[in-house]
Amino acid sequence: MWIKKRIFLLAIIGLVISIGAGTLVYVLMRPYFPEDMSLTGEKDKPQETELPEENFPGWRERERAKALAVVIDNAPEARPQSGLEGAELVYEIPVEGGLTRFLAMITEPIDIVGPIRSTRPYINDLAHEYGAFLVHAGGSIKALENLEKNKNEHLDEINGSKQVRAAFWRSPDRPKPSNLYSSTEALLKAAAEEKYNLNTPSNYLPLVELGEEIDGELVNDITIFYPNHQAEVRYVYNSEDKVFERYTAGKPHLTAKGDQITCANIIVQYVHYHYLDGDGRLQLLMHGEGDALIFREGKVTTAYWKKFPGEFTSLVDKKGDIIGVLPGPTWVQVVTKATMVDY
């Protein structure tokens, strides 16, 4: 019996010595081994880095198209509006009486868009800058003169051709002038009948690089105090859905279907202005450069906007580098220097 125990003990000692010797040989000889030790002779492939999923899947890869730049009413009797939720980009712009008006850049099919209102010179300029068809119902004298002078491609319900006017209709559910509507299909058909260029894509704001980290100060509540309380705007950041929820005049800003409007980016663009006449019509100075705030992912970045003749408005940081927006809807809040923005 003792012989078996002795043999077993010797076997254990031999195994330990073998493992120790093998380890020592590996450590001493490893620098001389070939780098590729795989059986197939192929090096191990590096693991692919998984990029973060974007909040608006497919937005980055969307085919860019010609946009309709639709002037949409924001008077209290015009709410809720139709079509804002389908716009890629919406400008909110001061007009007379301390109120605001929207310019919605739309590329996706929408059955009902409106209510559609009149244009102003600075609205004309924005539509032209983006290379979009301006959609409106008349306008100030200066705005109509500019459209004629510059030969802008536009669809005017009041002064347009018979084919253009046929693309609009008025709803019996609302009083004039806040009851004029159209659809993207009807508007694009009218543009084709006017022999406008539907093939050249419009301009768009540059997107951030895929996976780029967003820097800035944390912000979850933004209020923009336009002169008229009925135009007061508020955004609240929803960290779960990663969107800003929009409020107007103290209430959720709803679509015609009852859904709250949300967006991925908010740009506050500070501009100078002066009055054109005794009726309070404004001239917003949106050429040159000025201050801006960019809100993304619940953070704010201080920036500058620049716009020179023949160029597209750019947003830059202190170093002069271009700042991109996140994939998803963007709202640009144009404000005068006297407008208070609280965040």
Side-chain angles (χ1 to χ4, degrees):
M1 190 69 173
W2 64 271
I3 296 177
K4 290 184 179 181
K5 289 182 178 180
R6 186 175 181 182
I7 293 174
F8 179 75
L9 180 60
L10 290 173
I12 293 297
I13 294 172
L15 179 61
V16 171
I17 293 173
S18 297
I19 293 174
T23 301
L24 179 62
V25 170
Y26 178 83
V27 171
L28 294 175
M29 298 300 296
R30 180 65 185 92
Y32 303 98
F33 290 170
E35 184 177 349
D36 182 10
M37 298 287 289
S38 65
L39 295 176
T40 62
E42 296 180 358
K43 294 182 179 181
D44 293 335
K45 296 181 179 180
Q47 293 184 350
E48 295 183 359
T49 302
E50 185 175 347
L51 294 171
E53 182 179 349
E54 295 186 325
N55 198 32
F56 290 84
W59 189 280
R60 187 181 293 274
E61 295 79 20
R62 293 193 314 167
E63 182 179 354
R64 297 308 187 185
K66 192 75 168 182
L68 294 164
V70 187
V71 183
I72 296 181
D73 197 357
N74 191 33
E77 56 270 19
R79 302 167 188 158
Q81 297 91 349
S82 299
L84 291 175
E85 69 278 10
E88 172 156 332
L89 174 73
V90 181
Y91 272 85
E92 182 163 13
I93 314 168
V95 290
E96 307 82 49
L99 292 170
T100 61
R101 197 159 289 180
F102 301 128
L103 183 66
M105 306 291 182
I106 299 173
T107 58
E108 298 296 307
I110 301 178
D111 292 334
I112 303 177
V113 180
I116 297 169
R117 289 298 303 273
S118 59
T119 188
R120 299 292 181 268
Y122 43 90
I123 295 178
N124 297 350
D125 292 343
L126 283 171
H128 180 69
E129 177 182 349
Y130 278 84
F133 300 132
L134 177 66
V135 179
H136 63 110
S140 66
I141 295 175
K142 189 66 174 177
L144 297 178
E145 289 177 349
N146 288 351
L147 288 174
E148 182 66 24
K149 177 182 177 182
N150 298 326
K151 305 298 181 184
N152 291 18
E153 293 181 329
H154 66 109
L155 304 171
D156 185 352
E157 187 270 342
I158 295 177
N159 303 297
S161 66
K162 181 179 179 180
Q163 292 84 352
V164 170
R165 296 197 305 272
F168 299 81
W169 68 84
R170 291 196 178 271
S171 170
D173 300 331
R174 293 186 178 185
K176 289 184 178 182
S178 299
N179 66 343
L180 183 66
Y181 294 86
S182 188
S183 69
T184 55
E185 181 181 5
L187 292 169
L188 290 174
K189 180 181 178 182
E193 290 173 343
E194 293 294 296
K195 308 299 183 184
Y196 289 162
N197 179 10
L198 277 71
N199 298 319
T200 304
S202 296
N203 297 315
Y204 297 91
L205 294 172
L207 297 177
V208 300
E209 295 294 330
L210 193 61
E212 178 181 336
E213 184 177 351
I214 303 300
D215 296 324
E217 176 187 347
L218 292 176
V219 171
N220 58 18
D221 201 321
I222 311 154
T223 303
I224 302 170
F225 296 91
Y226 286 108
N228 191 315
H229 172 68
Q230 290 296 329
E232 181 181 293
V233 177
R234 183 185 177 206
Y235 292 95
V236 176
Y237 186 63
N238 183 324
S239 58
E240 182 177 350
D241 295 335
K242 295 184 178 180
V243 295
F244 290 96
E245 297 170 338
R246 180 179 162 89
Y247 296 76
T248 186
K251 300 178 181 179
H253 192 167
L254 303 179
T255 69
K257 295 181 179 179
D259 300 320
Q260 187 169 11
I261 293 176
T262 62
C263 62
N265 310 278
I266 305 162
I267 299 169
V268 177
Q269 182 176 354
Y270 291 92
V271 302
H272 294 283
Y273 73 101
H274 62 259
Y275 290 104
L276 291 174
D277 53 37
D279 294 329
R281 290 190 177 87
L282 301 171
Q283 177 59 53
L284 302 182
L285 307 179
M286 301 183 67
H287 292 74
E289 53 189 340
D291 297 328
L293 298 169
I294 305 177
F295 297 87
R296 302 165 299 174
E297 284 189 355
K299 300 175 183 178
V300 60
T301 301
T302 301
Y304 306 94
W305 64 268
K306 295 184 177 182
K307 170 71 170 75
F308 299 106
E311 296 182 3
F312 189 70
T313 299
S314 60
L315 297 165
V316 299
D317 59 20
K318 294 180 180 179
K319 297 179 181 179
D321 296 329
I322 298 292
I323 301 175
V325 297
L326 293 168
T330 298
W331 280 68
V332 181
Q333 304 291 152
V334 178
V335 300
T336 64
K337 300 291 287 186
T339 304
M340 185 171 73
V341 178
D342 186 25
Y343 61 92

